[in-house]
Each structure stands twice: as structure tokens, then as C-alpha cells.
Short mmCIF file of all heavy atoms in Angstrom, two decimals:
data_model
loop_
_atom_site.label_atom_id
_atom_site.label_comp_id
_atom_site.label_asym_id
_atom_site.label_seq_id
_atom_site.Cartn_x
_atom_site.Cartn_y
_atom_site.Cartn_z
N ILE A 1 225.44 5.87 172.40
CA ILE A 1 226.74 6.48 172.39
C ILE A 1 227.00 7.33 173.55
O ILE A 1 226.06 8.02 174.06
CB ILE A 1 226.83 7.27 171.01
CG1 ILE A 1 228.27 7.90 170.69
CG2 ILE A 1 225.75 8.53 171.01
CD1 ILE A 1 228.44 8.44 169.31
N SER A 2 228.18 7.38 174.04
CA SER A 2 228.60 8.12 175.14
C SER A 2 228.63 9.60 174.81
O SER A 2 228.57 10.03 173.71
CB SER A 2 229.87 7.59 175.70
OG SER A 2 230.92 7.79 174.81
N GLN A 3 228.77 10.42 175.91
CA GLN A 3 228.87 11.81 175.75
C GLN A 3 229.90 12.26 174.73
O GLN A 3 229.54 13.23 173.92
CB GLN A 3 228.99 12.54 177.07
CG GLN A 3 227.76 12.44 178.01
CD GLN A 3 227.94 11.23 179.02
OE1 GLN A 3 228.37 10.18 178.52
NE2 GLN A 3 227.62 11.54 180.22
N SER A 4 231.05 11.78 174.86
CA SER A 4 232.15 12.16 174.01
C SER A 4 232.07 11.45 172.67
O SER A 4 232.77 11.88 171.77
CB SER A 4 233.44 11.92 174.69
OG SER A 4 233.71 10.48 174.84
N GLY A 5 231.33 10.40 172.55
CA GLY A 5 231.39 9.65 171.31
C GLY A 5 232.36 8.48 171.36
O GLY A 5 232.54 7.77 170.39
N ALA A 6 233.15 8.41 172.43
CA ALA A 6 234.17 7.41 172.49
C ALA A 6 233.76 5.97 172.63
O ALA A 6 234.47 4.98 172.27
CB ALA A 6 235.15 7.78 173.63
N TYR A 7 232.54 5.91 173.16
CA TYR A 7 231.96 4.55 173.43
C TYR A 7 230.66 4.29 172.82
O TYR A 7 229.81 5.19 172.94
CB TYR A 7 231.89 4.21 175.02
CG TYR A 7 233.25 4.33 175.67
CD1 TYR A 7 233.53 5.56 176.29
CD2 TYR A 7 234.17 3.35 175.70
CE1 TYR A 7 234.81 5.66 176.99
CE2 TYR A 7 235.44 3.50 176.25
CZ TYR A 7 235.74 4.63 176.93
OH TYR A 7 236.95 4.79 177.56
N THR A 8 230.48 3.26 172.14
CA THR A 8 229.23 2.94 171.49
C THR A 8 228.74 1.47 171.82
O THR A 8 229.66 0.68 172.11
CB THR A 8 229.28 3.14 170.07
OG1 THR A 8 230.28 2.26 169.49
CG2 THR A 8 229.63 4.54 169.56
N SER A 9 227.54 1.23 171.69
CA SER A 9 227.06 -0.14 171.86
C SER A 9 225.91 -0.27 170.94
O SER A 9 225.20 0.58 170.50
CB SER A 9 226.59 -0.36 173.31
OG SER A 9 225.50 0.48 173.75
N TYR A 10 225.55 -1.57 170.56
CA TYR A 10 224.61 -1.93 169.60
C TYR A 10 223.81 -3.17 170.07
O TYR A 10 224.41 -4.07 170.68
CB TYR A 10 225.24 -2.17 168.30
CG TYR A 10 226.05 -1.00 167.70
CD1 TYR A 10 227.39 -0.85 167.98
CD2 TYR A 10 225.43 0.03 167.00
CE1 TYR A 10 228.12 0.29 167.57
CE2 TYR A 10 226.11 1.03 166.49
CZ TYR A 10 227.49 1.17 166.84
OH TYR A 10 228.23 2.24 166.34
N ALA A 11 222.52 -3.24 169.71
CA ALA A 11 221.79 -4.41 169.80
C ALA A 11 222.31 -5.50 168.84
O ALA A 11 222.80 -5.14 167.79
CB ALA A 11 220.34 -4.14 169.63
N ASP A 12 222.22 -6.70 169.24
CA ASP A 12 222.67 -7.76 168.41
C ASP A 12 222.09 -7.70 167.05
O ASP A 12 222.73 -8.08 166.00
CB ASP A 12 222.38 -9.18 169.03
CG ASP A 12 223.33 -9.40 170.20
OD1 ASP A 12 224.33 -8.74 170.43
OD2 ASP A 12 222.91 -10.30 170.98
N SER A 13 220.83 -7.31 166.94
CA SER A 13 220.12 -7.26 165.72
C SER A 13 220.75 -6.34 164.64
O SER A 13 220.47 -6.52 163.47
CB SER A 13 218.67 -6.88 165.92
OG SER A 13 218.56 -5.63 166.57
N VAL A 14 221.41 -5.32 165.15
CA VAL A 14 222.02 -4.38 164.14
C VAL A 14 223.53 -4.26 164.23
O VAL A 14 224.18 -3.60 163.42
CB VAL A 14 221.47 -2.95 164.38
CG1 VAL A 14 220.01 -2.97 164.28
CG2 VAL A 14 221.90 -2.41 165.77
N LYS A 15 224.14 -5.05 165.17
CA LYS A 15 225.54 -4.98 165.37
C LYS A 15 226.26 -5.46 164.01
O LYS A 15 225.97 -6.43 163.43
CB LYS A 15 226.02 -5.85 166.46
CG LYS A 15 227.40 -5.80 166.91
CD LYS A 15 227.63 -6.65 168.13
CE LYS A 15 226.79 -6.16 169.34
NZ LYS A 15 227.09 -7.08 170.57
N GLY A 16 227.22 -4.66 163.67
CA GLY A 16 228.05 -4.98 162.51
C GLY A 16 227.45 -4.30 161.20
O GLY A 16 228.15 -4.27 160.14
N ARG A 17 226.25 -3.81 161.28
CA ARG A 17 225.52 -3.11 160.17
C ARG A 17 225.31 -1.69 160.35
O ARG A 17 224.97 -0.96 159.45
CB ARG A 17 224.26 -3.80 159.82
CG ARG A 17 224.35 -5.28 159.50
CD ARG A 17 223.11 -5.89 158.97
NE ARG A 17 222.11 -5.89 160.05
CZ ARG A 17 220.96 -5.17 160.07
NH1 ARG A 17 220.72 -4.38 159.05
NH2 ARG A 17 220.07 -5.31 161.13
N SER A 18 225.46 -1.21 161.71
CA SER A 18 225.04 0.17 162.00
C SER A 18 226.24 0.89 162.75
O SER A 18 226.97 0.19 163.44
CB SER A 18 223.81 0.19 162.91
OG SER A 18 222.76 -0.44 162.24
N THR A 19 226.20 2.11 162.64
CA THR A 19 227.18 3.01 163.29
C THR A 19 226.55 4.26 163.79
O THR A 19 225.96 5.00 163.11
CB THR A 19 228.31 3.40 162.43
OG1 THR A 19 228.98 2.25 161.80
CG2 THR A 19 229.38 4.19 163.17
N ILE A 20 226.63 4.39 165.12
CA ILE A 20 226.08 5.50 165.72
C ILE A 20 227.20 6.61 165.90
O ILE A 20 228.41 6.25 166.22
CB ILE A 20 225.34 5.23 167.13
CG1 ILE A 20 224.65 6.48 167.64
CG2 ILE A 20 226.33 4.61 168.12
CD1 ILE A 20 223.81 6.11 168.91
N SER A 21 226.83 7.86 165.70
CA SER A 21 227.90 8.94 165.83
C SER A 21 227.27 10.19 166.31
O SER A 21 225.94 10.24 166.35
CB SER A 21 228.65 9.14 164.51
OG SER A 21 227.72 9.47 163.48
N ARG A 22 228.03 11.17 166.68
CA ARG A 22 227.36 12.45 167.21
C ARG A 22 228.27 13.64 166.75
O ARG A 22 229.48 13.46 166.55
CB ARG A 22 227.20 12.43 168.68
CG ARG A 22 228.46 12.27 169.44
CD ARG A 22 228.15 11.88 170.94
NE ARG A 22 227.21 12.84 171.57
CZ ARG A 22 226.42 12.64 172.61
NH1 ARG A 22 226.46 11.43 173.16
NH2 ARG A 22 225.59 13.58 173.02
N ASP A 23 227.59 14.72 166.70
CA ASP A 23 228.41 15.99 166.40
C ASP A 23 227.88 16.94 167.52
O ASP A 23 226.78 17.54 167.37
CB ASP A 23 228.05 16.57 164.99
CG ASP A 23 228.85 17.75 164.66
OD1 ASP A 23 229.39 18.46 165.62
OD2 ASP A 23 229.06 18.09 163.48
N ASN A 24 228.55 17.03 168.56
CA ASN A 24 228.02 17.85 169.72
C ASN A 24 228.06 19.32 169.35
O ASN A 24 227.14 20.02 169.91
CB ASN A 24 228.99 17.64 170.92
CG ASN A 24 228.79 16.23 171.55
OD1 ASN A 24 227.70 15.68 171.43
ND2 ASN A 24 229.73 15.82 172.27
N ALA A 25 228.84 19.82 168.49
CA ALA A 25 228.78 21.20 168.09
C ALA A 25 227.44 21.52 167.41
O ALA A 25 226.94 22.61 167.46
CB ALA A 25 229.98 21.53 167.10
N LYS A 26 226.95 20.53 166.77
CA LYS A 26 225.60 20.77 166.00
C LYS A 26 224.42 20.17 166.81
O LYS A 26 223.32 20.25 166.40
CB LYS A 26 225.66 20.01 164.64
CG LYS A 26 226.63 20.59 163.69
CD LYS A 26 226.60 19.90 162.36
CE LYS A 26 227.53 20.46 161.33
NZ LYS A 26 227.57 19.79 160.04
N ASN A 27 224.76 19.63 167.96
CA ASN A 27 223.68 19.00 168.89
C ASN A 27 222.91 17.97 168.07
O ASN A 27 221.69 17.89 168.08
CB ASN A 27 222.77 20.10 169.39
CG ASN A 27 222.30 19.78 170.81
OD1 ASN A 27 223.03 19.25 171.63
ND2 ASN A 27 221.02 20.21 171.04
N MET A 28 223.70 17.09 167.40
CA MET A 28 223.05 16.16 166.59
C MET A 28 223.71 14.71 166.82
O MET A 28 224.83 14.57 167.20
CB MET A 28 223.39 16.46 165.01
CG MET A 28 222.75 17.75 164.53
SD MET A 28 220.95 17.57 164.17
CE MET A 28 221.04 16.64 162.67
N VAL A 29 222.82 13.69 166.67
CA VAL A 29 223.26 12.38 166.71
C VAL A 29 222.79 11.63 165.51
O VAL A 29 221.66 11.87 165.03
CB VAL A 29 222.72 11.63 167.98
CG1 VAL A 29 223.18 10.12 168.01
CG2 VAL A 29 223.22 12.38 169.20
N TYR A 30 223.54 10.74 164.98
CA TYR A 30 223.26 9.96 163.83
C TYR A 30 223.27 8.56 163.86
O TYR A 30 223.96 8.02 164.84
CB TYR A 30 224.25 10.38 162.65
CG TYR A 30 224.45 11.97 162.54
CD1 TYR A 30 225.51 12.57 163.15
CD2 TYR A 30 223.61 12.69 161.65
CE1 TYR A 30 225.62 13.92 163.03
CE2 TYR A 30 223.77 14.05 161.52
CZ TYR A 30 224.80 14.65 162.21
OH TYR A 30 224.91 16.05 162.06
N LEU A 31 222.62 7.85 162.97
CA LEU A 31 222.65 6.40 162.95
C LEU A 31 222.81 6.01 161.43
O LEU A 31 221.82 6.18 160.68
CB LEU A 31 221.46 5.76 163.52
CG LEU A 31 221.43 4.24 163.56
CD1 LEU A 31 222.49 3.78 164.48
CD2 LEU A 31 220.06 3.68 164.03
N GLN A 32 223.90 5.58 161.07
CA GLN A 32 224.18 5.08 159.78
C GLN A 32 223.76 3.59 159.79
O GLN A 32 224.34 2.75 160.55
CB GLN A 32 225.65 5.22 159.31
CG GLN A 32 225.93 4.65 158.06
CD GLN A 32 225.45 5.48 156.86
OE1 GLN A 32 225.41 6.67 156.83
NE2 GLN A 32 224.90 4.74 155.80
N MET A 33 222.88 3.25 158.88
CA MET A 33 222.40 1.85 158.79
C MET A 33 222.68 1.31 157.38
O MET A 33 222.32 1.83 156.41
CB MET A 33 220.87 1.66 159.08
CG MET A 33 220.48 2.19 160.44
SD MET A 33 218.78 1.99 160.84
CE MET A 33 218.80 0.21 161.07
N ASN A 34 223.41 0.25 157.33
CA ASN A 34 223.86 -0.44 156.10
C ASN A 34 223.28 -1.80 156.02
O ASN A 34 222.93 -2.38 157.06
CB ASN A 34 225.35 -0.46 156.00
CG ASN A 34 226.03 0.93 156.08
OD1 ASN A 34 225.48 1.84 155.51
ND2 ASN A 34 227.14 0.95 156.68
N SER A 35 223.38 -2.39 154.89
CA SER A 35 222.89 -3.81 154.65
C SER A 35 221.52 -4.02 155.26
O SER A 35 221.24 -4.94 156.05
CB SER A 35 223.88 -4.71 155.21
OG SER A 35 225.14 -4.64 154.64
N LEU A 36 220.62 -3.10 154.96
CA LEU A 36 219.34 -3.07 155.75
C LEU A 36 218.50 -4.31 155.41
O LEU A 36 218.59 -4.85 154.26
CB LEU A 36 218.49 -1.89 155.34
CG LEU A 36 218.89 -0.54 155.97
CD1 LEU A 36 218.45 0.56 155.27
CD2 LEU A 36 218.36 -0.55 157.43
N LYS A 37 217.85 -4.88 156.37
CA LYS A 37 217.04 -6.05 156.24
C LYS A 37 215.51 -5.70 156.38
O LYS A 37 215.15 -4.68 157.00
CB LYS A 37 217.49 -7.08 157.36
CG LYS A 37 218.95 -7.51 157.25
CD LYS A 37 219.24 -8.45 158.40
CE LYS A 37 220.68 -8.95 158.38
NZ LYS A 37 221.05 -9.84 159.47
N LEU A 38 214.65 -6.59 156.02
CA LEU A 38 213.29 -6.42 156.19
C LEU A 38 212.97 -6.21 157.64
O LEU A 38 212.03 -5.42 157.94
CB LEU A 38 212.54 -7.57 155.66
CG LEU A 38 212.55 -7.83 154.06
CD1 LEU A 38 211.76 -9.03 153.77
CD2 LEU A 38 212.13 -6.62 153.34
N GLU A 39 213.70 -6.88 158.50
CA GLU A 39 213.36 -6.81 159.96
C GLU A 39 213.73 -5.43 160.51
O GLU A 39 213.41 -5.10 161.67
CB GLU A 39 214.21 -7.86 160.71
CG GLU A 39 214.03 -9.31 160.13
CD GLU A 39 214.93 -9.60 159.16
OE1 GLU A 39 216.11 -10.12 159.49
OE2 GLU A 39 214.69 -9.39 157.85
N ASP A 40 214.41 -4.56 159.78
CA ASP A 40 214.82 -3.28 160.33
C ASP A 40 213.66 -2.29 160.09
O ASP A 40 213.74 -1.20 160.61
CB ASP A 40 215.95 -2.69 159.62
CG ASP A 40 217.30 -3.50 159.85
OD1 ASP A 40 217.42 -3.89 161.03
OD2 ASP A 40 218.10 -3.72 158.86
N THR A 41 212.55 -2.67 159.42
CA THR A 41 211.45 -1.86 159.33
C THR A 41 210.81 -1.39 160.65
O THR A 41 210.36 -2.32 161.44
CB THR A 41 210.34 -2.57 158.40
OG1 THR A 41 210.91 -2.71 157.06
CG2 THR A 41 209.19 -1.67 158.29
N ALA A 42 210.79 -0.16 160.87
CA ALA A 42 210.26 0.32 162.14
C ALA A 42 210.29 1.82 162.11
O ALA A 42 210.77 2.49 161.21
CB ALA A 42 211.16 -0.20 163.34
N VAL A 43 209.64 2.39 163.15
CA VAL A 43 209.83 3.79 163.42
C VAL A 43 210.97 4.03 164.44
O VAL A 43 210.95 3.41 165.49
CB VAL A 43 208.51 4.47 164.02
CG1 VAL A 43 208.69 5.94 164.20
CG2 VAL A 43 207.40 4.21 162.99
N TYR A 44 211.89 4.87 163.96
CA TYR A 44 213.10 5.11 164.78
C TYR A 44 213.05 6.39 165.55
O TYR A 44 212.69 7.49 165.08
CB TYR A 44 214.30 5.07 163.92
CG TYR A 44 214.67 3.62 163.40
CD1 TYR A 44 214.01 3.03 162.46
CD2 TYR A 44 215.80 3.00 163.90
CE1 TYR A 44 214.26 1.79 162.04
CE2 TYR A 44 216.24 1.75 163.40
CZ TYR A 44 215.32 1.10 162.60
OH TYR A 44 215.57 -0.13 162.14
N TYR A 45 213.43 6.33 166.85
CA TYR A 45 213.47 7.47 167.73
C TYR A 45 214.76 7.68 168.42
O TYR A 45 215.50 6.75 168.54
CB TYR A 45 212.40 7.27 168.82
CG TYR A 45 210.97 7.03 168.35
CD1 TYR A 45 210.57 5.72 168.09
CD2 TYR A 45 210.05 8.04 168.24
CE1 TYR A 45 209.22 5.37 167.80
CE2 TYR A 45 208.80 7.88 167.83
CZ TYR A 45 208.39 6.49 167.57
OH TYR A 45 207.04 6.27 167.22
N CYS A 46 215.08 8.86 168.87
CA CYS A 46 216.18 9.10 169.73
C CYS A 46 215.76 9.78 171.09
O CYS A 46 214.71 10.37 171.11
CB CYS A 46 217.22 10.02 168.99
SG CYS A 46 216.49 11.69 168.48
#
């Protein structure tokens, strides 16, 4: 996600199922993951 949050990009593996967002006032970034698949099993980092 870009600094302002205006632009986002996704790997093909999660495209259409995930949404990245941010709240700069809280210094936080989020990843909403829907329709989770077995292949999504992993340790996630930012």
C-alpha cells in the first residue's frame, strides 16, 4: 500500500480475496483476508 493508501497491489495468490489498508493516524496497517484457503497458511509479517 502506498503512503496515502491510494494505491494498493496484491500477489496473484491473494488478489480478489484480500484488502490492505492503513490508518496513518494510528501508525497501523491492516490486511483483511477473506475466503481463506489452505495455501494461505503461513507466518505473516509487515
Side-chain angles (χ1 to χ4, degrees):
I1 187 167
S2 62
Q3 291 94 314
S4 69
Y7 303 99
T8 60
S9 64
Y10 302 90
D12 288 342
S13 57
V14 304
K15 190 174 299 180
R17 301 186 295 115
S18 300
T19 302
I20 187 170
S21 61
R22 66 193 303 160
D23 185 340
N24 287 335
K26 295 181 178 179
N27 216 35
M28 299 279 289
V29 178
Y30 308 95
L31 183 66
Q32 177 70 41
M33 304 187 70
N34 302 319
S35 301
L36 284 162
K37 303 176 179 180
L38 295 178
E39 308 91 88
D40 294 320
T41 295
V43 179
Y44 286 72
Y45 304 87
C46 60

